[in-house]
Amino acid sequence: MKTGLIVGCVILVILLVLAYYQYGKFIPTFTASHTPLTAEHIQLLKQGKPVTSIEVFKSQRILQLKHQQEIIRSYPMRLGFEPVGHKQFEGDGKTPEGTYSIDWRNPQSAYYKSLHISYPNADDLSYAKQHNRSAGGDVMIHGTVPTGMTSLSTSKTYLPRKDWTLGCIAVSNSDMDEIWQLVSNHTPIIIHP
């Protein structure tokens, strides 16, 4: 009887460890978040200090909206599942590094809302072609909760604690709402290692 109980407990512990290893990256981050901007504050920023660039610091997991050199807003973010290095090929799990721009937006994205980053550029395409591979594309700044699950009470502030995308930059849905309103198409985005 005791042996069966011990074996059952060992199996349960093994299953829990395996589940954590597989799905642990989706456990929410428990950090203090900033206060969301009001609609009035967003309008004031758009009129007085419009966003002139986006800077992403991959190693720090921070996305900043800037007016000239002044930081307007800073957001925690998550990257592709292989975050170190520049994206070279489709499916490599890396987030690009370099200077690009926001070239279109999708209000009905699979992950809430998304802003498309202009990757790949001519150099990215050339490098991939030299290696007979696809450079990939559809690199976005997007929310973290799938569109079909946004009715959940925690969906606005959910941010996984680990990197998980296929190469995109993921922010919480509430942060995506602000970024969506503050960033215009053709805004430059500089992605640092």
Side-chain angles (χ1 to χ4, degrees):
M1 179 75 156
K2 284 186 178 183
T3 305
L5 183 60
I6 290 171
V7 169
C9 288
V10 168
I11 291 172
L12 179 61
V13 168
I14 290 170
L15 290 174
L16 289 172
V17 168
L18 290 173
Y20 179 80
Y21 179 76
Q22 180 68 27
Y23 300 104
K25 63 185 170 188
F26 297 109
I27 294 172
T29 301
F30 296 104
T31 59
S33 64
H34 49 268
T35 305
L37 296 174
T38 64
E40 181 182 351
H41 197 182
I42 288 172
Q43 281 308 112
L44 289 172
L45 282 174
K46 287 173 73 171
Q47 293 168 357
K49 292 185 179 181
V51 172
T52 56
S53 67
I54 302 168
E55 284 201 59
V56 172
F57 297 90
K58 288 172 58 174
S59 63
Q60 298 171 16
R61 303 300 188 273
I62 296 292
L63 180 148
Q64 296 176 339
L65 302 184
K66 291 186 161 187
H67 173 74
Q68 308 306 341
Q69 293 304 312
E70 180 184 354
I71 298 169
I72 301 300
R73 206 74 167 138
S74 188
Y75 304 96
M77 52 95 182
R78 299 295 176 261
L79 301 168
F81 61 86
E82 290 290 337
V84 177
H86 174 60
K87 183 168 194 61
Q88 297 175 325
F89 307 115
E90 182 174 8
D92 64 10
K94 297 183 182 299
T95 302
E97 296 172 355
T99 302
Y100 299 92
S101 66
I102 301 301
D103 55 359
W104 53 271
R105 54 187 61 223
N106 181 359
Q108 300 296 317
S109 173
Y111 286 94
Y112 191 53
K113 297 175 183 173
S114 61
L115 300 177
H116 186 263
I117 298 169
S118 63
Y119 174 88
N121 62 26
D123 291 339
D124 300 321
L125 289 168
S126 175
Y127 183 85
K129 186 176 181 180
Q130 289 171 5
H131 292 84
N132 295 317
R133 304 268 309 268
S134 168
D138 285 339
V139 176
M140 312 275 194
I141 300 171
H142 61 64
T144 53
V145 177
T147 301
M149 299 178 70
T150 56
S151 61
L152 298 173
S153 61
T154 58
S155 69
K156 293 296 256 176
T157 58
Y158 173 73
L159 185 67
R161 65 184 178 93
K162 292 189 177 181
D163 298 317
W164 60 276
T165 74
L166 298 177
C168 295
I169 297 167
V171 297
S172 72
N173 286 8
S174 61
D175 291 345
M176 191 64 224
D177 281 334
E178 289 184 11
I179 294 166
W180 180 271
Q181 293 176 72
L182 291 169
V183 173
S184 300
N185 286 350
H186 311 295
T187 299
I189 178 169
I190 302 100
I191 305 172
H192 303 278

